[in-house]
Amino acid sequence: MTQVRSRRLVILGSTGSIGRSTLDVVGALNGTVRVVGLAAGSGWEALARQAHDTGAEYVAIGDESHYDRLRAALPAATTALAGADGLVELVDRARDAADADYTLSAIVGAAGLPATLRAVERGMDIGLANKESLVIAGSILMPLARERGAALLPVDSEHSAIFQCLHSGTHAEVRRLFLTASGGPFRKWSAERIDAATVDEALAHPTWSMGPKITIDSATMMNKALEVVEARWLFDMPVERIEVLVHPESIVHSMVEFVDGSIVAQLGAPDMKTPIQYALTYPARVAGVATSLSWSAARSLNFEPADPQRFPALALGFDAARRGGTCGAVLNAANEVAVELFRAGKIRFGEIGRLTARVLGRHQSIESPTLKQLTAADQWARQELQGCRI
Ligand code: NAD
Ligand code: MG
C-alpha cells in the first residue's frame, strides 16, 4: 500500500452525512488518521458516541443548550465546548494542544465558515465539503490559504474530479471546466409540476444520499449554482470557462477540456467516500471503503444541456460568480432561508429560486469586501428574503 501521511484530524459536522462517511474512511485507514476533534450542531448523543469511538480530545456542540448533557455523556478525558465560538475554539485547542494538522469541513451552510476560516488561519490543511464557505468568502479564504500554506482539498465530488483532471495539464492549458449535475429528482418534470413539488418529492434524490439542505439544493439545481462559484474560487477560473452539463447517471463526476481539445474526465461510483478519502490521503491513493464501479453489465452514460427555464436557480450561480464582491454571500444566505421556509411548508418549491433571484437582483455588491462586510451582506439577504414574502 502507498504510504499515507499520518494526520491528526478535526471533523466539523461529524454527525452529518459527510461527517459519518469521513469516520468510515478514517476507520479503513488503519490508524494513519487519528481523530482529535469533533463538532456538530445539535445531535449531542451521536456526538458523544463518536467521542467514545474515536477517543477525540475535544468536542464542540453548536447548540449551547445541549452542553450539560453532552459533557455528562463524554469520556472523562474529553473537553467539551459549546456555541458558535466553541466551534472556533475547538479548532484552536485541537491545533495547540493535540497537534491537529487537518480539518474536514462538513458543517452545512454559513454556520461552517468561522471555524473553517480559523483552521485556514492556523495553517491546517482543509478537506472542504462545506462549499458555502467558499461561496461566501472565497475572496478571503483563497489568498489566506496561500499565505498560511494551508492546502484546500475539495471533497465535493465534482471539484475532486476537476482537481484530479487538472493534473493532466497546466492552468494556462485549460479551456473549460465541465461540472456535471445529476439533474435531481425533477429532471424530467414540467415547470408547473416543479413549482408545486412537495418536500418529500424534493428530498428523493435519484443517485446521491445526502443531508436534507444539499438534497433540496440539488432539486432546484442551486447546488450546481453554488458549485459554479466554488469552482471559480478553487481553480481560479473565470466563470466564462465554467459550464454545467446534466449527466443523470452520476458516474462521470466532472471533466476538464484542455486547449488541444482533449477532455479528461474522472469516473467512479456515486459514493462520497471516494472524494473524502482522496482529500485525506492526497497525493497518495489507497484501497479503502468506497464502492468500486462494476462494468459487468452494459452501462450507458448520458449527457444533456441543463434547462435554464425549468431550473432558473442555476443562472444565479453564474451571475453571482460574475459580479463577485458580496454576491456569493447574498446568494447563499437568501437560498438558506428560502430552503428553510420551503421545508417548513411556508413557501412553494418554485419560490426558492424566485425569491433568491429577487434578493440577489436587489443587492448592491461591495467589491473586495472585508469579512465584516460579508457577514453584513449575509444578514441583509436573510432579512430581505423574509421581507419578500410579506
Ligand atoms: P448534514 O445535514 O447531513 O450534516 C450537517 C452537519 O453539520 C451535522 O453534523 C450537523 O450537526 C452540523 N451542523 C449543522 N448546523 C450546525 C451549526 N450551527 N453548528 C455546528 N454544526 C452544525 O449535511 P451533509 O450532507 O453532510 O453536508 C455537509 C456539507 O457538505 C454541506 O456544505 C454540503 O453542501 C457539503 N456536501 C455534501 C455532500 C453529501 O453527499 N452529503 C456532497 C458534497 C458536498
Ligand atoms: Mg457536488
Side-chain angles (χ1 to χ4, degrees), residues 76-129:
T78 303
T79 302
L81 302 157
D85 293 344
L87 301 177
V88 176
E89 194 183 339
L90 168 91
V91 171
D92 274 333
R93 304 265 299 256
R95 180 73 169 147
D96 293 333
D99 290 329
D101 63 352
Y102 195 108
T103 293
L104 199 299
S105 168
I107 289 174
V108 60
L113 176 61
T116 305
L117 191 62
R118 179 56 60 92
V120 172
E121 240 163 25
R122 300 298 314 268
M124 294 165 76
D125 290 337
I126 312 288
L128 191 75

Side-chain angles (χ1 to χ4, degrees), residues 131 156-159 214 223-224 227 230 272:
K131 67 192 83 183
D156 216 347
S157 56
E158 297 77 1
H159 304 72
I214 183 174
N223 182 47
K224 218 46 57 179
E227 290 183 358
E230 182 186 13
M272 286 308 294

Side-chain angles (χ1 to χ4, degrees), residues 114-359:
T116 305
L117 191 62
R118 179 56 60 92
V120 172
E121 240 163 25
R122 300 298 314 268
M124 294 165 76
D125 290 337
I126 312 288
L128 191 75
N130 176 234
K131 67 192 83 183
E132 295 92 342
S133 281
L134 271 187
V135 172
I136 300 165
S139 60
I140 289 180
L141 277 168
M142 294 309 295
L144 186 67
R146 268 191 299 275
E147 182 197 312
R148 302 293 160 104
L152 282 183
L153 297 154
V155 167
D156 216 347
S157 56
E158 297 77 1
H159 304 72
S160 174
I162 289 174
F163 178 69
Q164 295 176 59
C165 297
L166 285 173
H167 286 70
S168 293
T170 66
H171 189 266
E173 288 165 354
V174 174
R175 179 177 287 157
R176 287 184 290 181
L177 306 182
F178 290 101
L179 287 170
T180 54
S182 70
F186 307 144
R187 184 171 62 91
K188 296 192 155 184
W189 288 27
S190 68
E192 296 70 35
R193 201 171 158 211
I194 293 174
D195 189 53
T198 66
V199 174
D200 284 346
E201 286 167 337
L203 284 174
H205 197 280
T207 49
W208 293 99
S209 159
M210 310 178 286
K213 192 258 181 183
I214 183 174
T215 305
I216 305 277
D217 284 349
S218 300
T220 54
M221 291 196 76
M222 184 66 82
N223 182 47
K224 218 46 57 179
L226 300 175
E227 290 183 358
V228 167
V229 188
E230 182 186 13
R232 178 258 172 274
W233 288 118
L234 265 180
F235 307 118
D236 188 23
M237 203 51 71
V239 67
E240 294 72 26
R241 294 206 192 175
I242 304 174
E243 294 188 25
V244 170
L245 211 48
V246 173
H247 165 51
E249 292 83 11
S250 300
I251 299 292
V252 174
H253 295 308
S254 277
M255 311 188 273
V256 174
E257 183 185 354
F258 291 93
V259 286
D260 61 356
S262 279
I263 297 176
V264 179
Q266 187 259 348
L267 288 73
D271 180 350
M272 286 308 294
K273 289 182 191 126
T274 309
I276 291 170
Q277 178 176 296
Y278 189 61
L280 280 172
T281 64
Y282 177 81
R285 289 186 185 272
V286 298
V289 284
T291 323
S292 178
L293 194 61
S294 164
W295 295 94
S296 56
R299 188 185 271 294
S300 43
L301 302 175
N302 293 280
F303 299 90
E304 62 196 40
D307 180 354
Q309 252 63 53
R310 289 179 306 129
F311 299 99
L314 193 50
L316 304 181
F318 287 97
D319 185 35
R322 205 171 290 118
R323 288 170 63 195
T326 39
C327 287
V330 166
L331 172 68
N332 177 69
N335 177 59
E336 279 190 27
V337 176
V339 169
E340 280 306 310
L341 291 171
F342 169 66
R343 288 180 65 194
K346 295 192 173 141
I347 61 172
R348 281 204 314 283
F349 182 81
E351 286 181 286
I352 300 175
R354 277 198 295 278
L355 297 180
T356 303
R358 200 180 303 167
V359 172

Side-chain angles (χ1 to χ4, degrees), residues 337 340-341 346 359 380-390:
V337 176
E340 280 306 310
L341 291 171
K346 295 192 173 141
V359 172
W380 173 84
R382 285 171 201 272
Q383 279 164 15
E384 199 73 8
L385 194 124
Q386 292 282 4
C388 276
R389 298 174 48 233
I390 301 161

